[in-house]
Amino acid sequence: MTATYSRPAPPPRISRNAAIAGGVVLFHVAVLWAIQSGLVQRVVEIVVPAEMISEIITPAAPQIPPAPPPPPAPKPPPSAPAPRPRAPTPAPAPRPVAVADPTPAPSAPVGVTAPQPPAPPIAAPAVPDAPPPAPPAPPAPPKIDLPSSDADYLQNPKPAYPPISKRLGEQGKVIIRVLIGADGLPQRAEVRTSSGFERLDKAATDTVMKWRYTPGKRNGVPETMWFAVPINFVLE
C-alpha cells in the first residue's frame, strides 16, 4: 500500500485594509477601558489651566522741555543830567557919564566933520576873450570834365543831310542828349530840342549814335555822363 502525504495549507494572509480596521478597533477599545478605569480623570485633574495675568501698561506722557525764558529787555541809556541853572550875573555898576559943555573952548577948532567916502571897488583884471575857432573849410567841389566829341583823333564824320529835306528846303538846329559811357561809346540818345522836322531829328540821332567821344571825368576818373550835342542843318 502506498502512503499519501498532503502538505498543510498555508496560513491565510491578512490584507492591509483588515489590519488598519483592526488597529482602529483596538484603539477605541483601549480608550473605553481607560475611561472606565479612571485614568482619563486623573489626567484631567493633573492638567490645571494656567491663569493668565494681564496688565495694561499705560505709556508715559512725553516730557515737553520748558520754553526758554525771554531775553531781558535792554536797559534804557542813562539820561544826561539836567543842566544846572546859572546864577544871575550881577549888573555892572553904572559908570559916570560926562556932561558935554556947550561952550566951546577958545582954542578948539570950529567946523563940521564930513564922513569919509567909501573906497572904490577893486575891478577884476580883464581877461582878453579868445577868438572863436575858425569854421572848417568846406570840401572842395569835385572837378568834373564833360564829355567831348570835337577831338581830332576821334575822326567823327559830319551828319548826312537827308536828300528829301534838301529838296523840300528843311533846315534847323537839333540838340541831342546822349548818354556816354566810361569807355567813350554812346549808350542812349534822345531828342532834347527838335528842329521841327522829323527827318532832320532822326538823321541827327543816327549820327551821334555812330560817333566816338572822350568820356566825362570826375576828379580825373572816367564816369558815365549825359552830354548835349548840337547839330545844325543849314542849306547852302
Side-chain angles (χ1 to χ4, degrees), residues 148-156 214:
S148 175
S149 61
D150 298 336
D152 295 336
Y153 66 90
L154 297 176
Q155 299 178 359
N156 292 324
T214 302

Side-chain angles (χ1 to χ4, degrees), residues 201-218:
D201 296 345
K202 186 177 185 306
T205 302
D206 294 342
T207 299
V208 298
M209 288 297 294
K210 297 177 182 178
W211 285 356
R212 293 182 59 85
Y213 302 86
T214 302
K217 297 179 181 180
R218 185 186 299 270

Side-chain angles (χ1 to χ4, degrees), residues 1 45 55 64 67 73 87 93 100 142 185-186 196 226:
M1 293 182 64
E45 292 177 357
E55 182 180 358
I64 300 175
L185 297 178
W226 286 95

Side-chain angles (χ1 to χ4, degrees), residues 109-113:
V110 178
V112 178
T113 303

Side-chain angles (χ1 to χ4, degrees), residues 182-207:
D183 54 356
L185 297 178
Q187 298 180 0
R188 192 170 61 194
E190 57 186 25
V191 178
R192 180 176 179 182
T193 304
S194 175
S195 63
F197 301 98
E198 184 178 356
R199 280 181 290 270
L200 297 181
D201 296 345
K202 186 177 185 306
T205 302
D206 294 342
T207 299

